[in-house]
Amino acid sequence: DIVMTQSPDSLAVSLGERATINCKSSQSVLYSSNNRNYLAWYQQKPGQPPKLLINWASTRESGVPDRFSGSGSGTDFTLTISSLQAEDVAVYYCQQYYTTPPCTFGQGTKLEIK
Amino acid sequence: QLQLQESGPGLVKPSETLSLTCTVSGGSMSSSSYYWGWIRQPPGKGLEWIGSICYSGSAYYSPSLKSRVTISVDTSKNQFSLNLNSVTAADTAVYYCARHPSRGCSGGTCYFYPFDYWGQGTLVTVSS
């Protein structure tokens, strides 16, 4: 099974500043035949279910603000929030879908306001 | 707009069976394009996939829970269900149902895309 490891576990960033969350997979999630990374990011606000933000490592879902961006390839990925807003306080999870089942998530990164 | 809603007891005794149902509205479950999954989240912890099923009844389970889990589907009611037996306090969690598109099958295994629709979740506490 592919193990997903996020860093840091928690992060405090000032409003308007950049937030960066990392995700590392235990094996590559890049499918060579289509050059796509099978990596998704979710946002979970307190008391809510997770919400799919980004798939294919860098494609924002409809309605997701463009301050959210995903990057990386192979085994190393990054979720960046370019200018942190108060409503971005949440826990963020990465998930690989290169080999499913099983579906495996990172342990989560808690993002707070400094 | 597709909606999913979990239902079931909020309290289960140790060693008994946890049973939950997810009702899907705003769309039909009867499509090979989608799988329907259960994910849980212990209080203050991360997400754990339990298993997924498609309308035909083909199901996949987490290796760590496989011996205790059964997921079933009732397309006539647009529902799918989770049974987890021999529960302990470690099974206390918010249980979510969710949809994820299928990306086809090969070699007897089917592959999934990310979860795109989620229920609100239901807290199940295991306690005597």
Side-chain angles (χ1 to χ4, degrees):
Chain A
D1 300 350
I2 298 179
V3 177
M4 308 301 292
T5 304
Q6 293 181 226
S7 63
D9 289 335
S10 63
L11 179 64
V13 174
S14 300
L15 290 173
E17 296 298 306
R18 178 185 300 262
T20 301
I21 298 169
N22 301 301
C23 174
K24 188 175 184 68
S25 56
S26 60
Q27 64 186 75
S28 176
V29 298
L30 173 65
Y31 195 38
S32 57
S33 65
N34 59 12
N35 202 37
R36 290 189 135 181
N37 288 282
Y38 285 58
L39 188 285
W41 288 98
Y42 297 86
Q43 174 193 62
Q44 186 179 30
K45 295 183 178 181
Q48 296 184 18
K51 171 188 174 183
L52 181 61
L53 282 182
I54 287 173
N55 60 25
W56 305 118
S58 61
T59 302
R60 280 189 302 274
E61 289 290 285
S62 174
V64 174
D66 60 7
R67 64 180 179 273
F68 289 90
S69 63
S71 62
S73 185
T75 61
D76 293 280
F77 300 91
T78 299
L79 174 68
T80 301
I81 306 171
S82 60
S83 177
L84 188 70
Q85 305 299 303
E87 61 264 32
D88 301 333
V89 168
V91 180
Y92 292 85
Y93 295 92
C94 60
Q95 183 216 335
Q96 65 82 20
Y97 50 105
Y98 181 82
T99 58
T100 57
C103 306
T104 51
F105 296 90
Q107 80 276 18
T109 296
K110 185 176 184 179
L111 177 60
E112 299 174 311
I113 305 293
K114 186 187 290 183
Chain B
Q1 175 78 350
L2 191 76
Q3 293 186 318
L4 294 84
Q5 179 67 56
E6 305 88 352
S7 59
L11 181 64
V12 181
K13 289 183 168 55
S15 81
E16 296 190 345
T17 297
L18 180 160
S19 296
L20 296 174
T21 295
C22 182
T23 300
V24 179
S25 59
S28 172
M29 293 184 66
S30 299
S31 168
S32 60
S33 299
Y34 301 106
Y35 270 73
W36 306 88
W38 289 97
I39 303 98
R40 70 180 183 178
Q41 185 171 38
K45 296 189 177 180
L47 302 167
E48 179 184 22
W49 175 70
I50 300 170
S52 298
I53 193 167
C54 78
Y55 82 102
S56 67
S58 173
Y60 295 89
Y61 301 117
S62 166
S64 64
L65 295 170
K66 188 174 185 176
S67 63
R68 298 195 291 131
V69 173
T70 303
I71 298 176
S72 58
V73 64
D74 186 341
T75 54
S76 67
K77 295 181 179 178
N78 239 27
Q79 294 176 335
F80 61 108
S81 298
L82 168 70
N83 277 356
L84 178 66
N85 60 36
S86 304
V87 297
T88 69
D91 296 308
T92 294
V94 174
Y95 285 76
Y96 295 100
C97 58
R99 184 187 85 166
H100 49 163
S102 169
R103 57 182 182 94
C105 303
S106 174
T109 298
C110 296
Y111 300 90
F112 313 131
Y113 287 117
F115 297 96
D116 56 1
Y117 285 92
W118 295 68
Q120 285 300 306
T122 187
L123 174 63
V124 180
T125 302
V126 178
S127 174
S128 55

